[in-house]
Amino acid sequence: WVALLVADRMVRPINDLVRAAQQVAEGDFSVRVPLPSDSPDEVGILGESFNLMTERLETQTGAIIAANEELDNRRQFIEAVLESVSSGIISLAPDGTIILANSRADKLLAREGGTLIGGRLSDIAPQIADLAEGVDAHAIIQYASGPDPRTFSIRTDHHGDGAVVSVEDITQQLVDQRRAAWSDVARRIAHEIKNPLTPINLAAERLKRRFGKQVNAADSETF
């Protein structure tokens, strides 16, 4: 009986450590092993080290989970912002590979229903890729992706080895500006024509009132 009690006292902490290690392997870092109340022996010191290890793992894991949640929230926020803007936004890797693009960029560059991510901008839109590789921060180009060419305003912002390209379709804006310009020209022309017509009209009415009764019936239409 004494041998069994001694063996049980020696084996029980080892079994506790084994069970706790299995729980840690399954992802439970909150597990702790009971420590002897008397002066610790080698097994007790091992238990203290194990508890310290799991405590640190639990703290670090919680910090990593919190950081991942914050990153995920930021990612969702950035995606919501990118989807809400009217311009196409493209983020490029140093080798020109598209690593981020919103749905507006997919539509502008004729990738309806597809995605630009993973492709090379030089293969999809060589004109825009040439601008992205240069130093010009702003340029206006004619882009033909269908039967009617469109006018794009391109803005490039370089950061490190990569770049962010903003693509805005200003075709309708230019059409509206042309219409407004022609409307202004027509208004000015109408004003220049109307200026001499007003005194002519007043003079004709005055002549009609003053001399209309003196004109013969035969000459009234001519007058």
Side-chain angles (χ1 to χ4, degrees), residues 160-182:
D161 296 331
V164 175
V165 181
S166 172
V167 183
E168 183 178 2
D169 188 355
I170 60 173
T171 306
Q172 188 60 42
Q173 180 181 346
L174 295 179
V175 171
D176 295 339
Q177 289 178 354
R178 293 191 189 98
R179 289 178 179 173
W182 280 112

Side-chain angles (χ1 to χ4, degrees), residues 9-10 13 36 38-48:
R9 183 175 180 181
M10 294 178 60
D38 53 356
S39 58
D41 52 7
E42 288 79 2
V43 178
I45 295 175
L46 179 60
E48 290 181 358

Side-chain angles (χ1 to χ4, degrees), residues 1-15 43:
W1 284 106
V2 172
L4 289 175
L5 290 175
V6 172
D8 180 69
R9 183 175 180 181
M10 294 178 60
V11 172
R12 185 182 298 114
I14 301 299
N15 290 334
V43 178

Side-chain angles (χ1 to χ4, degrees), residues 4-132:
L4 289 175
L5 290 175
V6 172
D8 180 69
R9 183 175 180 181
M10 294 178 60
V11 172
R12 185 182 298 114
I14 301 299
N15 290 334
D16 293 338
L17 282 171
V18 171
R19 286 191 295 268
Q22 291 175 348
Q23 291 180 267
V24 170
E26 294 174 357
D28 182 10
F29 300 114
S30 63
V31 63
R32 303 289 186 272
V33 295
L35 300 176
S37 56
D38 53 356
S39 58
D41 52 7
E42 288 79 2
V43 178
I45 295 175
L46 179 60
E48 290 181 358
S49 300
F50 182 87
N51 289 344
L52 181 61
M53 178 193 69
T54 54
E55 182 179 355
R56 290 180 177 177
L57 285 175
E58 184 178 15
T59 302
Q60 294 174 358
T61 303
I64 293 174
I65 292 175
N68 287 337
E69 291 178 352
E70 183 178 357
L71 289 175
D72 188 62
N73 292 334
R74 289 185 179 182
R75 179 186 58 79
Q76 293 177 1
F77 175 75
I78 293 174
E79 289 179 354
V81 171
L82 290 178
E83 291 300 326
S84 65
V85 298
S86 59
S87 302
I89 306 297
I90 301 173
S91 180
L92 300 177
D95 61 350
T97 303
I98 300 174
I99 57 177
L100 178 65
N102 60 355
S103 58
R104 180 60 176 167
D106 293 334
K107 294 178 181 178
L108 290 177
L109 301 184
R111 283 296 182 94
E112 197 75 36
T115 179
L116 299 173
I117 299 176
R120 293 181 62 86
L121 187 60
S122 57
D123 299 332
I124 300 171
Q127 291 175 278
I128 300 177
D130 293 339
L131 293 174

Side-chain angles (χ1 to χ4, degrees), residues 154-207:
I154 310 297
R155 295 184 181 273
T156 305
D157 181 21
H158 293 274
H159 58 89
D161 296 331
V164 175
V165 181
S166 172
V167 183
E168 183 178 2
D169 188 355
I170 60 173
T171 306
Q172 188 60 42
Q173 180 181 346
L174 295 179
V175 171
D176 295 339
Q177 289 178 354
R178 293 191 189 98
R179 289 178 179 173
W182 280 112
S183 177
D184 184 65
V185 171
R187 185 174 64 253
R188 292 177 183 272
I189 293 176
H191 179 72
E192 295 297 330
I193 294 176
K194 188 176 181 180
N195 281 343
L197 287 180
T198 300
I200 292 173
N201 187 33
L202 293 175
E205 291 179 354
R206 184 179 180 185
L207 289 172

